[in-house]
Amino acid sequence: MNIGITGAGGRLAPLVVRHFQERGAEVTRYSRDAKKGMLPLAKLFENPQHDVLIHCAWSTVPLTAEADPGAFAREDLPLLRRLVESTAAQGTRIVFPSSGAVYGNTGEAPASEQDPPRPLGAYAQAKTAAENFLLENAASRVFILRTTNLLGEVGDPKKPQGILPRLVDSALNGSLVELWGDGSATKDYVHCSDFVAGLDAALNSGSPGLWNVGSGVSYSLLEIIRIVESLTEKNIRLTHHPRFDWDVSYSKISVGKLLATGWSPKKSLAAAVEDFLRSV
């Protein structure tokens, strides 16, 4: 299989690249800021011949999106439009990592793919708009992965995405972690290896459309903090910031559709923390 992946210099792409290369796929990496082993994004449009295009490139993360809500219309939507148009003749399947945040705050009943999006912040609203565009213009070949919070990848504790690197850095090095709210925010967390296996399962199903990818279990930030402190036998230094209105406070996601393919999450939250500790 010939795979193209955009946003190859970002947080998510290296996990996907490694997964498919280990399975013998030919993977071409594209990035706006071409680095070693990556092609400039413009090269993608010269002669697109990929069986699958995994579109990880995105201009913002949840925090930065609030400061620049126009980024989607200015950068992300034009790129999506070019990707759809340039791959139409080849019938390239497109994988789009969206976000479980598009559901907003859920109730006790887990949100399924049939539930309408209720995005709170600019990031989730932009992802919802991107989903709508793809479903309107490439529904027969697009796989939209509404992914929950990733754990297990090596991350930068100084970047504003990914809570685990910051918690572990605090436990091991004494850095201060800014917690949004009182720590009761409850969300689904999925190990990166389970995410890429879920991506594979969705593709292999042959059924384009919406797919929730998560663990099916939700934890509060306080529970994650307790697990990190227990495994490191260190205390985490916390400072509190009032919770942002756009940040989801309670999220429970159904992964029943993905489970029906034979996929299942293999890594518990504690195992994900243990994996991360071994990597640092």
Side-chain angles (χ1 to χ4, degrees):
M1 186 161 52
N2 186 312
I3 294 175
I5 184 164
T6 68
R11 170 179 175 238
L12 181 59
L15 312 173
V16 180
V17 170
R18 183 168 63 249
H19 174 83
F20 283 103
Q21 285 180 335
E22 288 174 350
R23 284 150 182 79
E26 179 184 346
V27 182
T28 305
R29 298 179 293 163
Y30 300 92
S31 176
R32 287 188 178 96
D33 301 316
K35 303 172 185 176
K36 185 177 180 181
M38 303 179 195
L39 295 177
L41 192 55
K43 288 286 185 182
L44 175 60
F45 306 109
E46 292 180 3
N47 188 27
Q49 295 293 330
H50 299 298
D51 302 309
V52 176
L53 178 63
I54 303 172
H55 182 43
C56 294
W58 199 254
S59 63
T60 62
V61 297
L63 183 62
T64 61
E66 295 303 312
D68 188 9
F72 171 72
R74 187 179 66 249
E75 298 183 39
D76 301 307
L77 182 57
L79 178 55
L80 273 177
R81 185 175 289 113
R82 288 191 71 189
L83 290 176
V84 168
E85 291 172 352
S86 66
T87 58
Q90 290 79 25
T92 302
R93 290 180 291 169
I94 298 172
V95 176
F96 178 64
S98 185
S99 171
V102 301
Y103 294 114
N105 288 314
T106 68
E108 277 298 320
S112 74
E113 292 86 352
Q114 287 74 41
D115 289 315
R118 294 187 177 88
L120 299 180
Y123 179 83
Q125 290 164 5
K127 288 286 187 177
T128 303
E131 290 184 5
N132 291 337
F133 173 81
L134 289 168
L135 291 171
E136 289 169 5
N137 294 278
S140 65
R141 57 191 181 95
V142 66
F143 294 76
I144 295 171
L145 308 183
R146 288 177 170 171
T147 306
T148 59
N149 300 274
L150 284 173
L151 292 178
E153 87 289 359
V154 176
D156 184 346
K158 296 182 177 62
K159 290 187 176 179
Q161 189 177 30
I163 186 63
L164 187 55
R166 284 177 281 162
L167 294 177
V168 169
D169 187 65
S170 177
L172 299 182
N173 302 312
S175 61
L176 193 63
V177 178
E178 184 179 77
L179 201 64
W180 302 346
D182 60 4
S184 63
T186 300
K187 303 175 185 179
D188 185 298
Y189 295 84
V190 63
H191 194 268
C192 54
S193 63
D194 289 326
F195 163 76
V196 292
L199 187 163
D200 223 353
L203 273 176
N204 289 335
S205 75
S207 298
L210 299 171
W211 292 83
N212 287 345
V213 185
S215 68
V217 182
S218 297
Y219 295 89
S220 72
L221 280 172
L222 291 178
E223 289 175 299
I224 299 174
I225 289 168
R226 285 195 289 269
I227 289 172
V228 173
E229 289 182 331
S230 174
L231 290 173
T232 60
E233 298 182 343
K234 302 283 186 180
N235 292 325
I236 292 171
R237 298 177 61 224
L238 298 173
T239 182
H240 290 267
H241 183 286
R243 188 181 68 81
F244 294 106
D245 290 340
W246 52 263
D247 187 36
V248 173
S249 60
Y250 187 87
S251 177
K252 184 177 284 189
I253 306 295
S254 169
V255 292
K257 182 179 177 180
L258 200 54
L259 289 170
T261 68
W263 168 94
S264 62
K266 306 299 184 187
K267 291 278 188 177
S268 67
L269 177 59
V273 175
E274 289 173 341
D275 280 358
F276 188 86
L277 288 170
R278 283 192 289 268
S279 73
V280 297

